[in-house]
Amino acid sequence: MKNQRLGFVGLGHDTASACLSMLKIMEGRSAVSWCLSEPDSADVLMISCDQTPETQRWDDSKKPRIVVYHCNQRKPISRFTLQHPFRVMQLLSVLDEVGSILPSECASVSQPAAPVSPTVSHGAETEVSPFWSSLHEAVNGNGPDPAGLLVALSAQGPLYFKPASQRFYASKALFRQLAASSVALGPLKITTDVLPEDAVACPLFSLCWMVSRYDATQLAPWMSAEGVFHLKRWPSFGTLEKSRTHLSLCALMTKRPLTREQLQQISQCSEEELDRFINACEMSGLMVFEEAAQAPLAVENTEEGKKRFGGLIKGLRSRLGLSA
């Protein structure tokens, strides 16, 4: 049995005490034996999702982190999360998941090695670009200055982003290039530039959808392909093409949480397009992603059910003034 050290950062005394009590209950039920440690010497950190000086100190830490959030808070974007209050089995599950990757991650901390692309559970390796990674941090309030102005440089000109308003700004030429083909964007960084007077605004979802065509065509590594997906509301497509596939996915995911396999089966879209749509929605703050703690509700898979769903999409297209 492996022995690993667990450190607490920014968590209340009650939460830490409850966790320690659960660790005692879990003895012998896991392949890893966990003991309490100071954060500096811990192998894994259990950290509050609240942004405080204490938690921000560990933003650049290479240690695996389990982000704890309360049930009335939005689920943070992190590889490992735990909703408070939690049960013993929930804690055991996330600790087992963290324990399974500890040897490789600990080795990478002590001895630098070539970067390895994160692996997602559906079998494909996902490499997140510097721009997509920095956008993920900025959207979730972990960037350099959420209230300021950020810029990503490209050969076609600068792309500005205001996290507070969730809007991008750039020249018309750059947006046309982004919509038509691949543009190599650098990571978002804080800037003291003043927005050009001729800069055109672009909603967050529209930019995410354009960039995801070549930057995020596989499910982002901070989401599990075994989870369930649900939309808070429909995306604002703006001038983007409203295809039957997009309408199908919106109708499905706003109705109830569904697995990736169910979404693909009913919408009849490709795996790549589904992952791209999920990525764009999640990056825009529209997606509610949950680990599949239990089997989701079954989705009707009969020919009659598919015909009814096709009728729903046809009605939506008609109401939106789209071609049949």
Side-chain angles (χ1 to χ4, degrees), residues 153-278:
L153 301 179
S154 74
Q156 290 75 24
L159 177 74
Y160 295 98
F161 178 49
K162 285 186 175 181
S165 64
Q166 295 199 333
R167 296 183 77 82
F168 283 88
Y169 300 85
S171 65
K172 291 182 179 179
L174 177 55
F175 281 131
R176 282 196 296 267
Q177 188 72 16
L178 283 165
S181 62
S182 172
V183 175
L185 293 167
L188 286 163
K189 297 181 179 180
I190 192 167
T191 180
T192 57
D193 292 352
V194 177
L195 280 175
E197 293 183 1
D198 60 346
V200 179
C202 176
L204 178 58
F205 176 80
S206 297
L207 192 283
C208 288
W209 176 251
M210 289 188 286
V211 174
S212 65
R213 181 181 62 253
Y214 54 86
D215 216 11
T217 57
Q218 295 176 343
L219 199 64
W222 46 82
M223 291 185 287
S224 169
E226 307 306 321
V228 291
F229 304 90
H230 184 61
L231 275 182
K232 299 177 184 177
R233 59 185 184 277
W234 282 49
S236 175
F237 288 98
T239 58
L240 297 176
E241 178 187 357
K242 303 172 187 66
S243 68
R244 183 184 188 279
T245 298
H246 297 162
L247 294 174
S248 300
L249 291 171
C250 287
L252 285 168
M253 284 194 282
T254 52
K255 186 177 181 182
R256 61 184 176 186
L258 294 170
T259 66
R260 184 169 168 273
E261 182 180 357
Q262 289 172 326
L263 287 168
Q264 186 177 6
Q265 184 179 26
I266 302 300
S267 67
Q268 297 294 303
C269 71
S270 67
E271 183 177 347
E272 180 177 298
E273 186 167 9
L274 174 59
D275 286 346
R276 180 188 168 196
F277 188 82
I278 290 175

Side-chain angles (χ1 to χ4, degrees), residues 104-140:
S104 59
E105 291 211 2
C106 289
S108 65
V109 172
S110 59
Q111 183 176 359
V116 179
S117 301
T119 302
V120 290
S121 56
H122 56 280
E125 290 187 349
T126 303
E127 184 176 347
V128 180
S129 75
F131 173 77
W132 199 255
S133 178
S134 64
L135 177 57
H136 173 255
E137 293 180 358
V139 169
N140 289 280

Side-chain angles (χ1 to χ4, degrees), residues 18-39:
C19 184
L20 289 174
S21 299
M22 292 180 184
L23 289 176
K24 292 180 181 179
I25 297 173
M26 288 162 47
E27 286 182 0
R29 303 179 65 178
S30 173
V32 179
S33 176
W34 297 94
C35 64
L36 179 62
S37 170
E38 290 297 323

